[in-house]
């Protein structure tokens, strides 16, 4: 994170389906609206029948179990997205911000281009499979780093381990949280087409390392690969300051 050095990459520019890792861009847009005081954490978001039916009722594996025609605070919508990976929460906030998920996805693409994610295209706010909804591991790394850099006031949501809504307890799907590797975010993803993926960030001491894994065969393999990469990154690399910022090494005559 501090040096922008790529420690390891494999197929990093290859097109992938991001599945629920797409929700990181939904959150980026939402955090930007919060940062600019266009909306607030206490604002109430309406759960439309579209959000309930498309995002919850037919996909109960990725839902915060929001009730149709109810109102939920923006802060709890964030938790529903980060912890529950709620498709219903994503669709509800996209409708609240842009009027429809289709228009919101265009805003997601605007932010993607702004962040330099040149090989990314979003067609929805959730990551539900669409052949035209894709990204690359490299682009997902840019997004993860941008979230950490641009919105430090909201980064604590990514490290929350559980959330209960509507009487239903759900743990955070990022099972690297709370490990001795300093993992404090960000998001998992899974569809049949995408496999199991993970965008994770970790801080030990002064160093922060961010990784993206896509296309693994199981939750267990995703976790194992993440642990291996982080152990290796911290073991084989160190952050060394050669000279402090603005340090003058000496003077030389220039003709």
């Amino acid at each position: 994170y501090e040096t922008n050095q790529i420690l390891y990459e494999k197929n990093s520019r290859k097109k992938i389906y991001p599945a629920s890792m797409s929700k990181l861009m939904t959150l980026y847009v939402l955090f930007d609206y919060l940062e600019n005081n266009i909306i607030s954490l206490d604002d109430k978001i309406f759960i439309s029948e579209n959000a309930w039916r498309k995002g919850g009722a037919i996909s109960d594996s990725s839902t915060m179990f929001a009730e149709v025609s109810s109102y939920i605070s923006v802060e709890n919508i964030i938790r529903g997205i980060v912890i529950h990976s709620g498709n219903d929460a994503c669709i509800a906030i996209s409708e609240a911000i842009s009027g429809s998920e289709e228009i919101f996805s265009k805003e997601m693409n605007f932010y993607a281009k702004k962040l330099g994610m040149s090989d990314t295209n979003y067609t929805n706010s959730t990551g539900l499979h669409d052949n035209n909804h894709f990204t690359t591991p490299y682009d997902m790394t840019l997004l993860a780093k941008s979230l950490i850099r641009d919105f430090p006031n909201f980064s604590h949501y990514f490290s929350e381990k559980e959330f209960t809504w509507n009487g239903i307890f759900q743990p955070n799907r990022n099972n690297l949280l709370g490990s001795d590797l300093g993992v404090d975010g960000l998001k998992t993803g899974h569809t049949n087409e995408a496999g199991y993926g993970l965008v994770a960030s970790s801080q030990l001491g002064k160093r922060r390392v961010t990784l993206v894994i896509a296309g693994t065969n199981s939750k267990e393999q995703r976790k194992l690969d993440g642990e291996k990469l982080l152990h290796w990154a911290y073991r084989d690399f160190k952050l060394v300051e050669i000279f402090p910022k603005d340090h003058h090494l000496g003077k030389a005559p220039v003709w």
Side-chain angles (χ1 to χ4, degrees):
Y1 179 84
E2 294 82 5
T3 63
N4 287 318
Q5 182 180 355
I6 297 174
L7 305 183
Y8 177 81
E9 61 183 326
K10 178 181 179 182
N11 297 326
S12 65
R13 311 297 177 118
K14 182 179 179 180
K15 185 175 81 172
I16 62 168
Y17 298 122
S20 285
M21 296 185 292
S22 308
K23 294 178 171 79
L24 290 178
M25 180 55 82
T26 299
L27 290 164
Y28 190 95
V29 177
L30 172 54
F31 290 164
D32 194 54
Y33 271 71
L34 287 165
E35 194 80 3
N36 287 287
N37 297 314
I38 300 172
I39 58 177
S40 75
L41 290 172
D42 296 326
D43 285 348
K44 297 296 189 290
I45 302 301
F46 179 70
I47 306 300
S48 68
E49 183 173 353
N50 178 56
W52 171 77
R53 188 176 300 281
K54 185 178 177 183
I58 64 171
S59 182
D60 62 0
S61 63
S62 295
T63 174
M64 70 176 294
F65 295 99
E67 293 184 347
V68 65
S69 299
S70 66
Y71 288 85
I72 302 176
S73 70
V74 169
E75 184 166 40
N76 284 328
I77 286 286
I78 292 171
R79 292 191 171 101
I81 296 173
V82 172
I83 302 171
H84 297 174
S85 197
N87 294 331
D88 45 0
C90 288
I91 296 172
I93 197 66
S94 68
E95 291 175 342
I97 288 177
S98 301
S100 73
E101 190 180 16
E102 181 181 2
I103 296 174
F104 184 80
S105 66
K106 294 179 180 178
E107 190 150 9
M108 293 169 72
N109 287 323
F110 169 79
Y111 279 90
K113 295 297 182 288
K114 185 177 178 182
L115 296 177
M117 300 168 64
S118 57
D119 296 313
T120 294
N121 186 67
Y122 296 106
T123 62
N124 59 64
S125 64
T126 63
L128 288 170
H129 182 70
D130 183 315
N131 286 338
N132 292 318
H133 185 103
F134 57 82
T135 187
T136 66
Y138 178 79
D139 279 7
M140 290 302 300
T141 307
L142 294 179
L143 175 56
K145 291 183 62 178
S146 298
L147 276 164
I148 296 165
R149 177 195 67 220
D150 297 342
F151 306 113
N153 294 332
F154 303 118
S155 60
H156 64 92
Y157 291 111
F158 292 109
S159 60
E160 293 186 13
K161 296 180 181 179
E162 58 190 46
F163 182 50
T164 298
W165 185 257
N166 206 14
I168 300 170
F169 167 86
Q170 293 189 65
N172 195 312
R173 296 163 188 232
N174 182 358
N175 52 10
L176 286 178
L177 287 177
S179 67
D180 59 356
L181 290 165
V183 175
D184 52 13
L186 297 160
K187 190 77 188 69
T188 62
H190 169 255
T191 61
N192 291 335
E193 295 83 0
Y196 291 86
L198 170 68
V199 182
S201 195
S202 157
Q203 182 159 9
L204 288 179
K206 294 182 178 180
R207 288 189 62 202
R208 176 171 289 280
V209 175
T210 305
L211 65 85
V212 176
I213 298 170
T216 65
N217 296 321
S218 66
K219 297 177 185 177
E220 293 73 21
Q221 189 62 51
R222 175 176 67 191
K223 180 175 185 286
L224 181 63
D225 286 351
E227 288 173 335
K228 286 181 177 179
L229 283 168
L230 288 173
H231 276 299
W232 171 78
Y234 284 118
R235 184 187 68 235
D236 284 19
F237 294 86
K238 297 186 184 302
L239 185 65
V240 178
E241 183 182 68
I242 306 301
F243 297 105
K245 184 178 180 181
D246 299 326
H247 178 73
H248 291 178
L249 299 180
K251 295 183 179 180
V254 178
W255 297 93

